[in-house]
Amino acid sequence: MFCSKCGCMNSVTTKNCLNCGQPLDRTTRIKKHKRRQRLNFFVVALLFLGTGFGSAQIFQQPAREQPDAPVENTVATQPSTNPPLEQTVTETTTPPQDTEASNEDSTKPKTDIIKDTQQKVFTIKTDTAYGSGFLFTDTGTVVTSAHLIIGTIDVSVRTTDGVEKPGKVIGISETFDIALIQVDAFAGTAPLAVETNPTEIGTEVIALGSPSGLENTAAIGYLTGTDRDFDHGFLYKDMYQIDAQIAPGSSGGPLIDAHSGKVIGINALLLNEGNAIGFSIPMYSMMELLNGWATQPMTEGEVEDVYDTYDGFG
């Protein structure tokens, strides 16, 4: 502390000025000492805070200035509720993937199904009858109704373009109203897809054929009944009942699932009792028979032997 007389600097604990011997004021000395302590404490606190802030800056600086750190790693380690830009673009521009959709379950427009199917549906003509048929295998076999070709080996098969191709009967049943024709001109053409499992009531269907001579007509309706059994010249078993309009000439044409585009039946006959009711033979019930004829065709003699059992038919 300073002497009030000579101004000499003395220790806080000194009672008399070391220069002039003047007694030093104790109260003033203590107050000044306390003020100096507070000042020293304040200075030390400022220094401590400054040191801590500087240290934090030093430790944080390398993390911000790492030139070799990949940008994608930096983004990935920072939590965020928003996805990266590249993910957002992918999600908005990529069409949703069907599960399974997918696709086997995907539905084609009915117009496309009809157009695609008509190219493989034909008019079957003999000297005494006409009806319909459709391409069954890529070897050129065509499914039709047995009652259309009774007594005939060679038939005419006319395409949707009006071009007639020769065909030969290679399979016919003496029990069921079904037959198979070989048309060599169609070999190498992909056939219609076939549903080999039963179809449920309520399924929307498309019946194709040549009703009343109107070739390649398509009629849309629903499958309204199953398991219909009756005898009408042939044995008709587990028949599909449909409300799609068919008429003479539709026989032998395909019944198509309007959603999958697959053949589910062979249009067979029409019962006119009040409102006409159509019936179709389920494909799943005839696949073994048809595949057998396609791989091991019947001879002309075998076909004629079957015709002999039809004496008095119709």
Side-chain angles (χ1 to χ4, degrees):
M1 60 181 302
F2 293 95
C3 176
S4 60
K5 180 177 180 180
C6 67
C8 180
M9 178 65 179
N10 294 277
S11 173
V12 176
T13 58
T14 304
K15 296 181 178 180
N16 298 311
C17 178
L18 298 176
N19 182 45
C20 65
Q22 173 71 23
L24 299 175
D25 187 353
R26 177 90 180 160
T27 301
T28 303
R29 184 169 66 247
I30 293 173
K31 289 181 179 180
K32 290 184 177 180
H33 177 68
K34 288 182 178 180
R35 284 198 300 270
R36 182 175 296 277
Q37 284 181 332
R38 286 195 295 271
L39 179 61
N40 290 339
F41 177 80
F42 181 74
V43 171
V44 170
L46 286 178
L47 289 174
F48 179 81
L49 290 175
T51 301
F53 179 77
S55 299
Q57 292 294 99
I58 291 172
F59 284 113
Q60 291 178 2
Q61 189 68 19
R64 291 197 306 266
E65 296 181 356
Q66 292 178 357
D68 296 330
V71 175
E72 58 272 18
N73 289 345
T74 304
V75 174
T77 56
Q78 296 185 10
S80 173
T81 58
N82 296 322
L85 179 59
E86 57 270 21
Q87 293 180 1
T88 303
V89 172
T90 300
E91 293 173 359
T92 56
T93 58
T94 301
Q97 297 298 318
D98 214 90
T99 60
E100 149 255 21
S102 311
N103 302 332
E104 290 185 359
D105 242 2
S106 60
T107 300
K108 293 174 61 176
K110 294 185 186 66
T111 53
D112 291 346
I113 290 177
I114 293 172
K115 289 178 181 178
D116 293 344
T117 305
Q118 283 178 330
Q119 304 304 312
K120 299 167 185 179
V121 176
F122 316 109
T123 299
I124 309 299
K125 296 178 62 179
T126 69
D127 293 337
T128 58
Y130 74 91
S132 305
F134 60 92
L135 191 60
F136 179 63
T137 66
D138 59 5
T139 58
T141 61
V142 174
V143 172
T144 190
S145 295
H147 71 260
L148 297 175
I149 57 172
I150 291 176
T152 304
I153 298 295
D154 298 311
V155 298
S156 176
V157 181
R158 187 161 62 196
T159 69
T160 186
D161 299 325
V163 179
E164 293 191 3
K165 303 292 184 181
K168 184 180 293 290
V169 177
I170 61 169
I172 189 166
S173 172
E174 60 185 33
T175 305
F176 305 108
D177 189 8
I178 188 171
L180 195 66
I181 300 169
Q182 176 66 46
V183 183
D184 293 336
F186 299 155
T189 302
L192 294 177
V194 174
E195 177 56 65
T196 57
N197 294 309
T199 301
E200 296 181 352
I201 293 176
T203 299
E204 190 173 17
V205 296
I206 306 171
L208 288 97
S210 302
S212 303
L214 301 175
E215 297 184 354
N216 247 325
T217 297
I220 299 175
Y222 290 90
L223 196 159
T224 57
T226 58
D227 302 327
R228 304 294 198 239
D229 298 337
F230 46 85
D231 192 329
H232 192 72
F234 291 94
L235 177 61
Y236 295 96
K237 190 175 181 181
D238 300 326
M239 298 289 284
Y240 288 151
Q241 179 178 321
I242 59 175
D243 64 1
Q245 295 181 1
I246 60 175
S250 297
S251 296
L255 183 69
I256 305 294
D257 185 318
H259 297 283
S260 69
K262 294 182 177 181
V263 181
I264 64 172
I266 307 159
N267 299 325
L269 74 164
L270 185 69
L271 295 184
N272 288 300
E273 297 178 359
N275 293 327
I277 302 174
F279 293 92
S280 182
I281 302 172
M283 280 298 293
Y284 74 85
S285 67
M286 295 294 154
M287 288 299 292
E288 183 177 355
L289 191 57
L290 290 170
N291 284 326
W293 292 334
T295 55
Q296 292 184 334
M298 295 173 64
T299 65
E300 289 188 18
E302 290 172 331
V303 171
E304 291 173 349
D305 288 342
V306 173
Y307 289 156
D308 290 340
T309 66
Y310 291 158
D311 290 342
F313 177 86

